[in-house]
Amino acid sequence: QQQQQLLLLHTRDFRVFTLVCDTRLQALRLLRLINQRAFFATDAALRQHVADTRLPDPAEARRTLSYLQDFCRLALPNALWRLTTVNENYAVCPTYPQYLFVPHSVTDDVVTAAAPFRQKSRLPVLSYLYAPTQAAICRCAQPLRGMFFRGSDADTALLCALFRTGARGGVIVDARPQLAALGNMLRGGGYEDPSTYGTQVALCFLDIPNIHAVRSSLQTLLELFRTHAACVRLAAADIALCQVQDSGVPSEHVSAKNSPKGSPPCASAASSHPSSAASTPVESESSANGSGGEDDDDEADGTA
């Protein structure tokens, strides 16, 4: 009898789906079908897929998730922050929302002029505001300073205005390792010089590796939790079987219901104790990949 084939699907949000196929040929056909639906060999195939797909009504989508309603929850706009529509048609930054919040003292011309100085035009804009103290978190991509330390008057004016909204200056938090930020300068990127924005501005690096190393590290951690949970279930089933056997009930009446398929007798409970799984050291690739400075969308982003 041919053994069943398992097809494991690992999603980007770390969920795992197990598909059971009767034959290897069936599993290969299913895998080919999934690849055809998930990946497209040409741009024309992707455009055809979009044309054939029924997209949700834009009005319904806006009612479901309103970007502006979320900012109203943060008591915006206010005396310090205003709404700008320069990106209403995604002309300034295609990967930013249509509506952005910037300091009141900055004009739309300055906002538009500051965008090209940031990677993928991801200029500094407001992400979160703590209303009681007006403490703000603003997001942006790395500046395109390069090896010759280029500057932008519009970018400097925008950042200075951001820092003036706070009573205690500000901190530029670069999520990358410093070595990766230096490496990006060779390819036209770089990082901010805090002295440009005043004496109350500091710069710190978080030393977070690139997105690929972070994803691999998280995947390893999730696998550890899954192994730990499986060991706990196996140990609980074996302990329950031992307790039933000690009560004098014949094991053939309970083993099929209480013991997982192929599980050993009660003597194996100690070997499958969760401590045996939890004590295994986890080695991730984070430290190995952290200094590469690879050109990745998320790796290049910082937070002002």
Side-chain angles (χ1 to χ4, degrees):
Q1 184 179 2
Q2 192 171 5
Q3 190 175 10
Q4 289 181 326
Q5 302 291 317
L6 299 181
L7 187 61
L8 300 180
L9 299 181
H10 295 263
T11 64
R12 293 189 64 179
D13 56 359
F14 302 101
R15 291 181 296 170
V16 179
F17 296 91
T18 303
L19 307 179
V20 181
C21 303
D22 292 332
T23 64
R24 178 177 176 81
L25 180 60
Q26 187 185 52
L28 291 175
R29 288 176 177 173
L30 180 58
L31 178 61
R32 189 183 308 114
L33 181 62
I34 293 174
N35 284 331
Q36 290 174 354
R37 295 295 186 270
F39 307 102
F40 300 92
T42 63
D43 291 340
L46 176 59
R47 287 194 293 269
Q48 184 62 42
H49 173 74
V50 173
D52 296 339
T53 303
R54 181 182 178 274
L55 299 177
D57 179 59
E60 182 65 27
R62 283 193 293 270
R63 285 194 295 269
T64 303
L65 177 61
S66 174
Y67 181 72
L68 295 179
Q69 285 182 358
D70 193 51
F71 273 111
C72 289
R73 180 180 60 86
L74 303 177
L76 290 168
N78 59 24
L80 296 176
W81 299 92
R82 70 176 181 89
L83 175 71
T84 177
T85 59
V86 296
N87 201 43
E88 190 170 13
N89 296 320
Y90 304 101
V92 175
C93 180
T95 58
Y96 266 9
Q98 291 177 292
Y99 307 109
L100 308 173
F101 275 88
V102 295
H104 256 295
S105 59
V106 176
T107 65
D108 285 350
D109 291 337
V110 171
V111 174
T112 304
F117 185 66
R118 296 284 168 167
Q119 187 179 49
K120 296 186 181 296
S121 297
R122 294 172 181 168
L123 67 156
V125 294
L126 182 67
S127 292
Y128 174 79
L129 180 70
Y130 183 60
T133 63
Q134 293 297 301
I137 298 177
C138 301
R139 183 189 188 279
C140 63
Q142 65 173 336
L144 302 179
R145 301 187 68 196
M147 296 182 59
F148 299 101
F149 301 99
R150 294 187 295 269
S152 168
D153 293 339
D155 182 81
T156 301
L158 178 56
L159 275 180
C160 288
L162 291 175
F163 292 131
R164 284 196 298 269
T165 61
R168 301 180 182 178
V171 179
I172 302 173
V173 180
D174 197 314
R176 302 166 293 177
Q178 186 172 5
L179 185 60
L182 290 171
N184 275 317
M185 294 184 70
L186 300 177
R187 293 181 290 181
Y191 57 94
E192 292 84 353
D193 180 6
S195 63
T196 306
Y197 313 109
T199 57
Q200 290 187 311
V201 177
L203 170 67
C204 70
F205 292 92
L206 297 184
D207 294 330
I208 299 177
N210 61 59
I211 187 62
H212 309 293
V214 173
R215 184 182 293 117
S216 176
S217 178
L218 180 56
Q219 185 66 50
T220 303
L221 181 62
L222 292 174
E223 289 297 333
L224 175 63
F225 285 141
R226 293 190 186 105
T227 303
H228 178 84
C231 289
V232 169
R233 289 194 296 268
L234 181 60
D238 286 341
I239 292 174
L241 178 59
C242 290
Q243 292 173 344
V244 173
Q245 289 175 339
D246 291 341
S247 67
V249 178
S251 60
E252 60 269 17
H253 296 297
V254 295
S255 58
K257 297 181 179 180
N258 295 280
S259 180
K261 183 179 180 181
S263 64
C266 59
S268 66
S271 64
S272 60
H273 193 272
S275 61
S276 62
S279 61
T280 304
V282 178
E283 303 247 352
S284 68
E285 298 177 0
S286 302
S287 59
N289 297 335
S291 59
E294 300 170 2
D295 188 12
D296 191 277
D297 287 352
D298 296 320
E299 177 200 7
D301 287 347
T303 302

